[in-house]
Amino acid sequence: MKQNIYDHPIFFKEYTSLRESGVTYNDFVEQPAIKSLLPTLDGKTVLDLGCGTGHFAKYCVNHGASKVWGIDISSKMIKRAKMENNHDHIDYICKPIEDLELANQKFDLVVSSLAVHYIEDYSAVVKKVSGLLVENGEFIFSTEHPIVTANKEAKKWVKDSQGNNLHWPLDNYQEEGKREQHWYIDGVVTYHRTISTLINTLLDNGLALEKLLEPQSTPEGLKVMPKIVNETRRPSFIVIKSIKKN
Amino acid sequence: MKQNIYDHPIFFKEYTSLRESGVTYNDFVEQPAIKSLLPTLDGKTVLDLGCGTGHFAKYCVNHGASKVWGIDISSKMIKRAKMENNHDHIDYICKPIEDLELANQKFDLVVSSLAVHYIEDYSAVVKKVSGLLVENGEFIFSTEHPIVTANKEAKKWVKDSQGNNLHWPLDNYQEEGKREQHWYIDGVVTYHRTISTLINTLLDNGLALEKLLEPQSTPEGLKVMPKIVNETRRPSFIVIKSIKKN
């Protein structure tokens, strides 16, 4: 059963309201990192895995992409995408990433922003992506950093007796698999994978590593979101750019 | 000034006695991982950066390497290597890795076991290694895991009031540079670098990533060194295999 938290009414409301605030880790850490890795989009065909409300799909056509497919498990997200980020050159598909089938279709670029940690079978998705890329096509994705997802129990700051943040806990690194947490609602499931699994699975599927980022905040983010400075103490995300080789 | 702790009489005595015990993280975690990544050594020329007492150099000639150069900053280590692991096909050179000059020499394989974290200018060494490799030659090395080296202060287990191990602390991840600790003697300096720096520096110097390991213990290690099971909770080492591309 693929998880579809984004169709949960409370989660959807809270999450979309957060994203609309424009003051998020996505805005100042993750999206700038993903965008810094993008090739020229001019004339490119793009597949966006976990497209949400379609901001990135629209960004791609605005930057010259000839055609973008956005796929997302959440019908609420896809509905919003079709309303807010509609475009002749974008097709939105409501489907779990794992069930994606695009026969006879090849892409110049596959992008996935913070969706991979929701997927149980990473290897199957990487294999599918590799098969969907043209030669020298690129797969660029972000995911929660394994040093964040590792812990099974405590995930938050360890504090001293005065309540000051001391450091983060680290544990359970080699125990890959399901992690459950509260994020607006109970029971949000993500999957922990080690850095070696994230990388070697790409290499084993004909994708060469081009760049790995553990992004910090942009200067603007530091101004409007002071706590984001803590990204220097522990990065929340890892962003990977890989290229299809035959 | 390059650090030469291995010539310190107390450090040298303690360290060599530890290694001779045969019951170490090197024996059960790091060396098995390095060896699992080695290509066929038959007829190969090998450079071993930080060769210590020459065990690995000898292993290479025993497995068919046509010629091995072992380099180490410590004259005590090189002296011991020449006594204990001498061979017609091995040259031992007492020199800091950073000062290595081998004009007109190219290698099929460059290996470095747990020496890279002592080197301040990682980028310069990677550049040098890349220049020393033949096309498709490999650079395989192990280093302390960035999630271990990150912390500037507390490095050991966080314990509960009963003294039970809770988890490790994680902090200061993005602050690369010098870390000082006590290991037999005070003031042992290592250099923390992020995973992205470790990897991107290779990619930027014409080396493609082939495999990344975060090794756990061998079954034998779990029997004779019970505490080594904690490698599942936080890996001590990262082992990287890369290949020279033109």
Side-chain angles (χ1 to χ4, degrees):
Chain A
M1 176 61 190
K2 285 108 194 173
Q3 179 181 230
N4 183 0
I5 44 169
Y6 289 88
D7 270 352
H8 187 289
I10 296 169
F11 188 93
F12 180 77
K13 182 170 169 290
E14 295 291 340
Y15 179 80
T16 49
S17 140
L18 173 74
R19 289 302 296 270
E20 280 162 9
S21 74
V23 184
T24 69
Y25 285 83
N26 303 64
D27 295 294
F28 302 124
V29 182
E30 186 266 347
Q31 280 292 303
I34 286 250
K35 286 175 180 164
S36 77
L37 296 181
L38 291 178
T40 310
L41 293 168
D42 218 37
K44 297 274 173 74
T45 53
V46 181
L47 172 63
D48 182 359
L49 300 175
C51 65
T53 57
H55 279 102
F56 185 77
K58 192 65 167 289
Y59 175 91
C60 290
V61 292
N62 286 346
H63 286 76
S66 60
K67 178 84 195 178
V68 182
W69 283 258
I71 170 167
D72 205 286
I73 194 172
S74 159
S75 59
K76 285 181 189 286
M77 287 286 181
I78 290 292
K79 191 176 163 195
R80 178 84 67 114
K82 285 179 177 171
M83 284 192 310
E84 293 177 4
N85 290 299
N86 201 22
H87 194 284
D88 283 353
H89 294 174
I90 307 179
D91 270 359
Y92 290 111
I93 306 166
C94 185
K95 196 173 255 200
I97 293 169
E98 298 92 325
D99 298 345
L100 180 65
E101 278 173 36
L102 288 163
N104 308 318
Q105 189 67 45
K106 293 270 184 182
F107 300 90
D108 298 309
L109 173 65
V110 177
V111 174
S112 181
S113 164
L114 298 179
V116 160
H117 49 253
Y118 293 125
I119 289 172
E120 185 169 8
D121 193 345
Y122 170 67
S123 175
V125 168
V126 170
K127 191 177 175 183
K128 191 174 285 190
V129 167
S130 180
L132 287 168
L133 284 170
V134 301
E135 192 176 344
N136 295 317
E138 288 172 313
F139 177 35
I140 300 173
F141 70 98
S142 60
T143 188
E144 282 196 319
H145 202 298
I147 61 181
V148 174
T149 55
N151 273 37
K152 289 172 122 172
E153 304 283 333
K155 283 192 168 294
K156 307 222 163 163
W157 286 103
V158 176
K159 291 175 185 280
D160 67 13
S161 54
Q162 276 78 50
N164 301 309
N165 298 331
L166 287 177
H167 49 250
W168 274 277
L170 177 66
D171 206 348
N172 316 116
Y173 185 82
Q174 300 285 12
E175 290 181 67
E176 297 191 319
K178 204 170 168 176
R179 300 289 189 272
E180 218 169 301
Q181 61 183 312
H182 180 89
W183 187 30
Y184 301 130
I185 57 173
D186 282 338
V188 175
V189 170
T190 52
Y191 293 91
H192 168 63
R193 280 175 276 269
T194 63
I195 292 159
S196 34
T197 292
L198 285 176
I199 291 178
N200 293 333
T201 305
L202 298 170
L203 304 178
D204 293 344
N205 283 283
L207 293 158
L209 194 70
E210 288 213 301
K211 189 69 104 177
L212 188 152
L213 300 180
E214 295 164 300
Q216 301 184 47
S217 174
T218 60
E220 198 197 345
L222 291 170
K223 282 185 204 149
V224 299
M225 243 184 122
K227 71 171 179 180
I228 215 167
V229 70
N230 290 325
E231 291 296 293
T232 62
R233 300 178 67 175
R234 185 189 70 167
S236 297
F237 311 114
I238 193 164
V239 189
I240 295 176
K241 178 177 186 174
S242 60
I243 184 166
K244 173 74 177 289
K245 294 294 180 191
N246 282 326
Chain B
M1 176 61 191
K2 286 108 194 174
Q3 179 181 229
N4 184 359
I5 44 168
Y6 289 87
D7 270 352
H8 187 290
I10 296 169
F11 188 93
F12 179 77
K13 183 171 169 289
E14 295 291 340
Y15 179 79
T16 49
S17 139
L18 174 74
R19 289 302 296 271
E20 280 162 10
S21 74
V23 184
T24 70
Y25 285 83
N26 304 64
D27 296 294
F28 302 124
V29 182
E30 186 266 347
Q31 280 294 301
I34 286 250
K35 286 175 180 165
S36 78
L37 296 181
L38 291 178
T40 310
L41 293 168
D42 219 37
K44 298 275 172 72
T45 52
V46 181
L47 173 64
D48 182 359
L49 301 175
C51 65
T53 56
H55 280 102
F56 185 77
K58 191 66 168 287
Y59 175 92
C60 291
V61 292
N62 286 346
H63 287 75
S66 62
K67 178 84 195 178
V68 182
W69 283 258
I71 170 168
D72 205 285
I73 195 173
S74 159
S75 59
K76 285 180 190 284
M77 286 288 183
I78 291 291
K79 190 177 163 192
R80 177 84 67 118
K82 285 181 176 171
M83 283 193 310
E84 293 178 2
N85 290 299
N86 200 24
H87 193 284
D88 282 354
H89 295 173
I90 307 177
D91 270 0
Y92 290 111
I93 305 166
C94 185
K95 198 175 255 200
I97 293 169
E98 298 93 324
D99 298 346
L100 181 65
E101 278 172 36
L102 288 162
N104 308 316
Q105 189 67 46
K106 293 270 185 183
F107 299 90
D108 298 308
L109 173 66
V110 177
V111 174
S112 181
S113 165
L114 299 179
V116 160
H117 48 253
Y118 293 125
I119 290 172
E120 185 169 9
D121 193 345
Y122 170 67
S123 174
V125 168
V126 170
K127 190 175 176 186
K128 191 174 282 189
V129 166
S130 181
L132 288 169
L133 284 170
V134 299
E135 192 176 343
N136 296 317
E138 290 172 313
F139 178 34
I140 300 173
F141 70 99
S142 60
T143 187
E144 281 195 320
H145 201 298
I147 62 182
V148 174
T149 55
N151 273 37
K152 288 172 122 173
E153 304 282 334
K155 283 193 168 291
K156 307 222 163 161
W157 287 103
V158 177
K159 291 175 185 279
D160 67 13
S161 54
Q162 276 79 49
N164 301 310
N165 298 331
L166 288 177
H167 48 247
W168 273 278
L170 178 66
D171 206 347
N172 315 116
Y173 185 82
Q174 300 284 11
E175 290 180 68
E176 298 192 317
K178 203 170 168 176
R179 300 291 190 270
E180 217 170 301
Q181 62 183 312
H182 180 91
W183 187 31
Y184 300 129
I185 56 173
D186 281 339
V188 174
V189 170
T190 54
Y191 294 91
H192 168 63
R193 279 176 278 269
T194 63
I195 291 159
S196 34
T197 292
L198 285 177
I199 290 177
N200 293 334
T201 306
L202 298 170
L203 304 178
D204 292 344
N205 282 285
L207 294 157
L209 195 69
E210 288 213 299
K211 189 70 103 175
L212 188 151
L213 300 179
E214 295 165 299
Q216 302 184 47
S217 174
T218 59
E220 197 198 346
L222 291 170
K223 281 186 206 152
V224 298
M225 246 183 118
K227 72 172 178 180
I228 215 167
V229 71
N230 289 325
E231 291 296 294
T232 62
R233 299 178 68 176
R234 185 188 70 168
S236 297
F237 312 113
I238 194 164
V239 188
I240 296 176
K241 178 178 183 171
S242 60
I243 185 165
K244 173 73 177 289
K245 295 291 179 193
N246 282 326

